[in-house]
Amino acid sequence: MVNITAATAFAPEMASRLMRLLPREFQDAFVQSPNVFMFFTSMGLAAVLIAAFWMLTGMGKASQAARIALRAQALKRNKDHRALILIAEIEGGGAGLRQEMKEAIEDNFGMFSFEQDVQVDLFPVLLKTVPVTAHPETRRRVAVEAADALERSAADVVVWGKRNIFGKLDLRLTTLPGYGRTHEVQDFQLDWRTGRPEESVQRALAFALARKARPVLHRPQDYKPDRLQPIVEALDKMVDARPVEISENLQLDILSDFASGALSLGERGGHIKWLSKALDARQRYLDKVDRSTDPGAWGAAQQEIGRALTALGEREGARDKLEEGASRLRLAMDALRSTDSLQQAEVALRALQRAEQTLQQRRRVGLRWPG
């Protein structure tokens, strides 16, 4: 109480001393119109504070931009043959979460590519995690900003997102678009437990990034079966597990790549089980795809089902499978001709010609079908 009383008594004296420091004109203005003087003084102080705030904000942004530029230059300068993955800031998750993601990618990336080593960097850039339903232009602007980070650092993929209070990660990833293509962002979700999460979740994250950085199973026929088989076997385990911690769209990507890889193994002389697995997986995938909304994916799925049935029919001497395979391939061609998937349509045409040729040969020589 004594201190409060002393401060109250000292305040007028302090104000008087401050007033004596001001120029004579300000003192006269205060005496003549104290309210007006205090109004303009308050406005002046507010302006100074606002200017100081924006100056500090600008300095902070400049410092962050310089930090990003220096990190990008260092990464680009030291880039080698390895895939380079950038993990941007994760809203709601600290450095510990990003470190866990880094370790998960490093441990599992080689399982879905032919590279046993990958370079992962905790890149200091903050990208907005806009919802899937956001305006396309908003999403495009974020994708352009992400692509700029990739281009400046010579990286292959950047991943960012946010974590909610229940531990679920809402992630986005993108790569540099090809010539003439627009920027695209993939969305997927993972339940990321505090500490190291489930092994299936770690592998799903590594798969999503490897799929973009090193798209092996987009063209499985380009690789020898003995090199391809370990990747297909790893995906087979993930398909059988069907972990609930992984969002459905990412599970469909896993299912699709497994079906393509298994079909490639089976067609090129692998065990007949791969053809059966490819057929089952692609049928499950097809059940989730609507022809009216995604005719390209629907047609590509029908094409692979037709190829799997044709190959099984040839191996087993089963006319019904050859005929159904030919029917599926015709459906695939009808769907793919209305899209930009000309290569897929050509594959379907070649497979259809092969199936029809096999059927004609058996009719010509009078071979009997088993059973």
Side-chain angles (χ1 to χ4, degrees), residues 19-40:
M19 287 300 299
R20 293 193 192 100
L21 297 175
L22 296 176
R24 186 67 182 178
E25 293 79 4
F26 285 92
Q27 296 181 26
D28 293 341
F30 176 74
V31 172
Q32 295 174 6
S33 303
N35 293 334
V36 175
F37 177 83
M38 293 305 299
F39 173 74
F40 282 104

Side-chain angles (χ1 to χ4, degrees), residues 224-349:
K224 294 180 179 180
D226 59 332
R227 298 193 69 198
L228 193 64
Q229 186 163 333
I231 298 176
V232 177
E233 289 174 345
L235 290 174
D236 190 14
K237 293 178 181 178
M238 296 179 69
V239 168
D240 288 341
R242 302 187 193 182
V244 296
E245 297 88 355
I246 303 172
S247 60
E248 184 177 354
N249 62 337
L250 184 54
Q251 291 202 37
L252 281 178
D253 287 340
I254 295 170
L255 189 64
S256 178
D257 279 10
F258 168 69
S260 297
L263 177 59
S264 181
L265 290 178
E267 284 183 323
R268 292 188 288 172
H271 197 283
I272 197 171
K273 73 173 183 179
W274 292 120
L275 292 174
S276 299
K277 283 178 173 287
L279 181 60
D280 292 342
R282 190 53 74 182
Q283 188 61 59
R284 282 168 52 191
Y285 176 87
L286 187 63
D287 293 341
K288 302 288 185 179
V289 178
D290 186 355
R291 180 175 182 176
S292 60
T293 58
D294 197 347
W298 188 88
Q302 289 286 9
Q303 176 247 105
E304 291 199 358
I305 289 175
R307 286 165 55 196
L309 285 168
T310 299
L312 282 170
E314 291 175 344
R315 296 274 191 93
E316 300 172 353
R319 182 175 60 185
D320 57 337
K321 289 183 178 178
L322 278 168
E323 290 175 344
E324 185 183 352
S327 176
R328 294 289 189 125
L329 290 167
R330 293 188 190 98
L331 284 174
M333 289 177 60
D334 290 340
L336 293 169
R337 281 170 179 166
S338 62
T339 69
D340 296 332
S341 304
L342 297 179
Q343 184 179 4
Q344 293 277 9
E346 291 176 2
V347 172
L349 177 60

